[in-house]
């Protein structure tokens, strides 16, 4: 088990508070993949560009700084803040199919910017350590953990991994004085630690009939491990299939085995959503993907994230942080 992130959720935004939390987060002695700070829903009178003035210098911490509702006129400012600072992430809450401005924004992002922007289809904002869909709804400063524990899960040691992470959370609370909120227990891949590999070991090659059932069974096991470990689950707490972060999923898209229809079908098995996948630049297609996602979320009644990477005709999109992001077949 590795700690994927320690994320502090701010109760309010001020330069002094951000600096104080920044120093406490930097001082955490436990090894973690990333350290993060999540801001509350962006106040209706706040200019997004001015939020960047509040951020301390340094590249060792990332920030979820903008959380807007889908009818917010500041959506057209999101590209500017993403292009101004590579440490910042943003999300938009979607609740209905009035999505024209959102589609325009996504299609206008370059691949690197698109990896730091997501849509959250849900009734309200979500307190999760997973960026870009993270928004603080805390009444006091709190923190939470996300994990990389695919190997532990595969070996039947998911409960032990969650117990170990919970102990780390309690020790961080003791060291920092910041309230420990819980763990997003989502089974999330990172390259060679592949959730796709688990699906294929327990079922068949992705995508085949029966994969949805397999994903659902994996989710049940996550719930069982969470119950046994007695940790507090927060956020998504489900199987995650971010394609460009999973070596097997990436390969299945590149060889044509996994297309958009297959990926969508697996999200009915309680997967977080359509995530980290290249999709050919097409306004009508993007609108349909988002509207279909709204329908899936309505059926699941669970939060659903969307992170689309615009493809301008290439089969492989090259990025510094994730390597190859494959473009998925849409038909």
């Amino acid at each position: 088990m590795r700690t994927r992130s320690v994320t502090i959720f701010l109760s309010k935004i001020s330069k002094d508070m951000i600096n104080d939390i920044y120093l406490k987060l930097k001082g955490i002695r436990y090894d973690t993949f990333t350290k993060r700070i999540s801001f509350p829903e962006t106040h209706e009178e706040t200019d997004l560009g001015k939020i960047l003035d509040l951020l301390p210098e340094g590249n060792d911490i990332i920030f979820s700084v903008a959380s807007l509702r889908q009818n917010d006129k500041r959506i057209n400012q999101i590209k500017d803040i993403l292009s101004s600072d590579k440490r910042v992430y943003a999300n938009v809450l979607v609740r209905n199919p009035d999505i024209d401005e959102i589609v325009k924004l996504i299609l206008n992002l370059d691949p690197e910017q698109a990896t730091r922007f997501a849509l959250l289809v849900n009734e309200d904002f979500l307190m999760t350590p997973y960026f870009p869909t993270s928004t603080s709804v805390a009444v006091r400063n709190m923190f939470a953990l996300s994990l990389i524990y695919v190997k532990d899960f595969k070996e039947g040691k998911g409960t032990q991994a969650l117990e170990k992470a919970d102990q780390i959370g309690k020790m961080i609370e003791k060291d920092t004085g910041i309230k420990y909120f819980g763990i997003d227990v989502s089974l999330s891949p990172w390259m060679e630690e592949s959730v796709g590999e688990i699906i294929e070991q327990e079922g068949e090659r992705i995508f085949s009939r029966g994969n949805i059932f397999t994903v659902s069974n994996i989710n049940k096991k996550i719930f069982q491990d969470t119950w046994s470990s007695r940790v507090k689950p927060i956020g998504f707490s489900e199987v995650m299939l971010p394609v460009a972060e999973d070596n097997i999923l990436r390969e299945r898209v590149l060889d044509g085995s996994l297309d958009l229809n297959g990926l969508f079908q697996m999200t009915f098995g309680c997967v977080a959503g359509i995530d980290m996948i290249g999709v050919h630049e097409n306004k009508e297609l993007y609108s349909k993907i988002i509207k279909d996602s709204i329908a899936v979320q309505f059926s699941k009644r669970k939060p659903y994230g969307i992170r689309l990477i615009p493809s301008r005709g290439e089969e492989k999109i090259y990025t510094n942080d994730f390597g190859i992001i494959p473009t998925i077949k849409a038909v």
Side-chain angles (χ1 to χ4, degrees):
M1 185 279 295
R2 290 185 289 167
T3 305
R4 187 183 188 110
S5 71
V6 177
T7 302
I8 296 181
F9 302 97
L10 298 181
S11 59
K12 60 182 180 179
I13 300 173
S14 72
K15 194 172 184 64
D16 287 344
M17 178 180 286
I18 293 170
N19 285 335
D20 178 61
I21 292 298
Y22 179 81
L23 292 174
K24 286 185 177 180
L25 191 53
K26 284 189 66 174
I28 290 175
R29 56 189 172 91
Y30 301 98
D31 183 44
T32 181
F33 198 48
T34 60
K35 297 178 179 180
R36 310 177 175 194
I37 297 176
S38 183
F39 287 20
E41 176 183 354
T42 311
H43 190 276
E44 60 184 8
E45 296 181 359
T46 301
D47 182 280
L48 298 190
K50 292 183 179 179
I51 294 178
L52 302 184
D53 297 334
L54 301 175
L55 303 184
E57 296 181 359
N59 295 316
D60 48 352
I61 292 175
I62 59 177
F63 303 84
S64 179
V65 301
S67 296
L68 307 179
R69 297 178 186 268
Q70 69 183 93
N71 60 348
D72 197 305
K73 294 181 180 179
R74 295 168 297 176
I75 285 176
N76 59 16
Q77 296 180 25
I78 288 178
K79 179 177 173 61
D80 292 336
I81 65 167
L82 293 177
S83 62
S84 297
D85 194 326
K86 292 185 177 181
R87 299 174 298 167
V88 305
Y89 292 69
N91 66 82
V92 171
L93 180 68
V94 175
R95 298 180 60 183
N96 64 65
D98 182 17
I99 54 174
D100 285 351
E101 292 304 312
I102 295 170
V103 172
K104 290 179 184 177
L105 168 63
I106 298 173
L107 291 173
N108 197 32
L109 298 176
D110 68 33
E112 193 279 330
Q113 293 162 2
T115 65
R116 294 185 284 115
F117 174 73
L119 305 181
L120 176 68
V121 185
N122 200 35
E123 292 304 307
D124 210 338
F125 292 105
L126 188 65
M127 200 143 130
T128 174
Y130 280 98
F131 283 21
T133 50
S134 177
T135 305
S136 175
V137 295
V139 296
R140 58 181 287 193
N141 294 337
M142 297 180 175
F143 77 91
L145 307 179
S146 64
L147 311 174
I148 300 174
Y149 70 111
V150 173
K151 289 182 180 179
D152 303 84
F153 187 89
K154 188 164 55 175
E155 295 170 0
K157 300 177 181 178
T159 298
Q160 295 93 317
L162 295 178
E163 289 174 341
K164 180 180 178 181
D166 197 47
Q167 288 301 311
I168 291 173
K170 291 173 181 176
M171 289 186 286
I172 292 175
E173 179 181 60
K174 183 178 180 180
D175 290 346
T176 64
I178 302 172
K179 177 68 176 177
Y180 171 43
F181 182 53
I183 303 173
D184 191 321
V185 299
S186 294
L187 188 66
S188 180
W190 185 250
M191 305 311 178
E192 73 279 357
E193 292 199 44
S194 168
V195 175
E197 182 180 2
I198 294 177
I199 295 171
E200 294 193 338
Q201 286 180 347
E202 298 193 9
E204 297 183 54
R205 184 182 176 90
I206 300 170
F207 178 75
S208 302
R209 296 299 175 190
N211 283 164
I212 304 169
F213 182 74
T214 301
V215 169
S216 180
N217 280 341
I218 294 171
N219 240 10
K220 289 178 183 178
K221 184 63 169 63
I222 295 171
F223 300 152
Q224 291 168 1
D225 288 343
T226 304
W227 177 261
S228 298
S229 64
R230 300 184 182 276
V231 305
K232 179 183 177 182
I234 66 165
F236 291 99
S237 288
E238 296 186 332
V239 176
M240 286 188 169
L241 300 179
V243 175
E245 299 178 27
D246 186 306
N247 285 350
I248 295 296
L249 294 179
R250 181 193 284 119
E251 285 302 315
R252 296 299 172 260
V253 171
L254 289 172
D255 68 24
S257 303
L258 178 61
D259 61 15
L260 187 58
N261 288 334
L263 187 59
F264 250 123
Q265 288 184 57
M266 285 195 291
T267 68
F268 278 95
C270 290
V271 189
I274 303 294
D275 191 15
M276 284 298 289
I277 184 66
V279 179
H280 284 297
E281 187 178 36
N282 182 294
K283 182 178 180 181
E284 183 179 3
L285 175 59
Y286 276 53
S287 294
K288 289 179 178 179
I289 290 172
I290 297 170
K291 289 176 181 178
D292 281 351
S293 299
I294 293 171
V296 173
Q297 190 278 333
F298 181 80
S299 299
K300 288 174 52 177
R301 296 295 182 179
K302 293 183 178 181
Y304 192 99
I306 309 170
R307 190 165 35 162
L308 304 176
I309 314 301
S311 170
R312 276 83 189 189
E314 64 269 51
E315 293 184 0
K316 301 176 182 178
I317 303 167
Y318 295 90
T319 63
N320 290 329
D321 291 337
F322 300 96
I324 293 172
I325 300 177
T327 298
I328 200 164
K329 293 180 179 178
V331 292

